[in-house]
Amino acid sequence: IRKIINKILPDIIISFLPNVNIAAILAIPFINVKLIISERSDPRVQDISLFWKISRKILYRFSDCLVVQNQSNLAISRMLFPGLKNISVIPNPISFNRQNLSHSSNKGSRKNLLSIGRLASEKQVDHIINAFFLLSTEFSSWDLVVYGSGPQEATLKKMVNELGLSTRVKFMGATSHPYIAYAQSDIFVMTSSGEGFPNTLLEAMAVGLPSVVYDCISGPREISENGKFAILVPLNDQLRLYKELRNLMLNPLLRMSLGSQAAESVYKRYELKLILKKWYSLINQVILSK
């Protein structure tokens, strides 16, 4: 990395993720170059080794700025990484044109409850399956559609079979076109035990999909503006999850209203041009700093 930096002599380096941040910091001593590092998830829930945790605590102070994705991560980063020169909050953007894709709802006779994300233990998709099991008899025209892959896939499929839901729960695998899944669904649900900045929630809301999410650490509360534009369920409260989903499934007008307001809310805050403006401003600020 140091050889490349010396060869191209950039004005600024921007790095993402803990190990890359540390490598960049170690590569630039005595080179006249500015460095912005970035954390893409909440440091409290990251699955990284003790080595990287200690390295961050010692070395992050030698960067010119740390970028985090929400206010919660800003507060915790000040505690975890002492001596930082500057911290800036720049969230992920909505990166598609809203004129080309919006929520159209499922026009067929069946409706879809959507889960999208990695099938890993921290996503707690089993909570969604349990809730859907309780709802499945009353709402016989609804299906649960699960996008994603991961280490919990076989366990979750076995759970579905044991609950007798194999015809009602559809495992679609990973997708490179998630917005199509959002647009063809009726409710989005997310039950993570922890997040950094949940892009799936942001995307679902942008498409106009009414959303029910656990109030986990961190991201959902900020993206939903304290539950105003998505339904926040206390973390791991499966009974409340069932009740909130049932209420939405019973009320098409509520689904339409919540989805429409959600889209307007996130576009005002996370549209691509707005986020790029924040990045350009920060880059110029760092380059010009002494």
Side-chain angles (χ1 to χ4, degrees):
I1 294 174
R2 187 175 177 85
K3 288 180 180 178
I4 294 171
I5 294 170
N6 275 315
K7 181 178 180 180
I8 66 176
L9 297 176
D11 296 305
I12 194 165
I13 296 169
I14 304 172
S15 68
F16 290 73
L17 307 178
N19 57 330
V20 184
N21 293 338
I22 297 303
I25 290 169
L26 294 175
I28 64 170
F30 308 110
I31 300 177
N32 185 25
V33 62
K34 300 291 186 177
L35 173 63
I36 296 175
I37 61 175
S38 182
E39 285 282 338
R40 312 312 294 171
S41 61
D42 193 302
R44 291 166 290 186
V45 298
Q46 280 180 308
D47 185 19
I48 61 174
S49 70
L50 181 61
F51 171 81
W52 293 116
K53 290 180 180 179
I54 294 174
S55 297
R56 291 189 308 183
K57 191 177 186 69
I58 295 172
L59 295 175
Y60 270 16
R61 70 191 70 193
F62 297 107
S63 67
D64 293 288
C65 182
L66 169 66
V67 172
V68 295
Q69 293 180 298
N70 57 53
Q71 293 295 328
S72 174
N73 289 348
L74 183 148
I76 195 64
S77 294
R78 291 192 188 279
M79 296 173 55
L80 293 178
F81 313 132
L84 287 167
K85 298 174 186 175
N86 187 22
I87 308 180
S88 182
V89 177
I90 305 180
N92 283 348
I94 301 163
S95 58
F96 68 88
N97 189 334
R98 70 185 303 186
Q99 303 301 323
N100 296 335
L101 184 60
S102 61
H103 177 236
S104 59
S105 187
N106 183 6
K107 299 301 183 182
S109 59
R110 304 199 64 76
K111 298 191 177 299
N112 292 333
L113 176 64
L114 175 68
S115 167
I116 186 165
R118 190 164 182 266
L119 302 183
S121 57
E122 65 272 12
K123 300 299 183 181
Q124 302 189 142
V125 178
D126 57 313
H127 290 205
I128 300 173
I129 294 172
N130 279 329
F132 184 71
F133 172 70
L134 297 176
L135 294 161
S136 59
T137 301
E138 181 179 2
F139 297 93
S140 58
S141 63
W142 285 72
D143 296 317
L144 171 60
V145 181
V146 180
Y147 280 87
S149 60
Q152 291 289 308
E153 185 170 351
T155 301
L156 294 171
K157 287 181 176 179
K158 181 181 178 182
M159 177 184 180
V160 165
N161 288 331
E162 291 175 347
L163 291 173
L165 295 173
S166 57
T167 62
R168 302 281 304 278
V169 179
K170 303 173 182 178
F171 287 91
M172 308 300 290
T175 177
S176 57
H177 303 286
Y179 299 114
I180 303 298
Y182 297 127
Q184 294 177 344
S185 297
D186 297 273
I187 297 174
F188 172 75
V189 58
M190 186 184 79
T191 53
S192 300
S193 60
E195 289 282 346
F197 186 87
N199 290 327
T200 52
L201 174 59
L202 178 63
E203 293 162 354
M205 292 174 66
V207 173
L209 199 55
S211 302
V212 180
V213 297
Y214 274 172
D215 188 12
C216 67
I217 182 177
S218 59
R221 178 164 291 275
E222 188 166 324
I223 293 173
S224 70
E225 293 198 61
N226 295 315
K228 185 176 180 181
F229 299 109
I231 296 172
L232 292 179
V233 174
L235 183 61
N236 297 330
D237 189 339
Q238 295 190 58
L239 178 59
R240 179 74 173 273
L241 176 68
Y242 157 78
K243 290 180 178 179
E244 295 292 0
L245 286 173
R246 182 176 183 273
N247 187 44
L248 266 185
M249 292 164 78
L250 282 170
N251 292 281
L253 292 180
L254 177 59
R255 296 200 301 271
M256 184 181 301
S257 174
L258 182 60
S260 175
Q261 292 179 58
E264 289 300 319
S265 167
V266 296
Y267 266 102
K268 288 178 181 178
R269 294 175 289 146
Y270 302 109
E271 192 171 7
L272 178 60
K273 65 181 180 181
L274 299 176
I275 304 305
L276 288 177
K277 186 176 180 180
K278 290 179 182 289
W279 271 108
Y280 289 140
S281 176
L282 176 64
I283 289 167
N284 287 326
Q285 173 191 327
V286 171
I287 288 175
L288 295 174
S289 65
K290 295 182 179 181

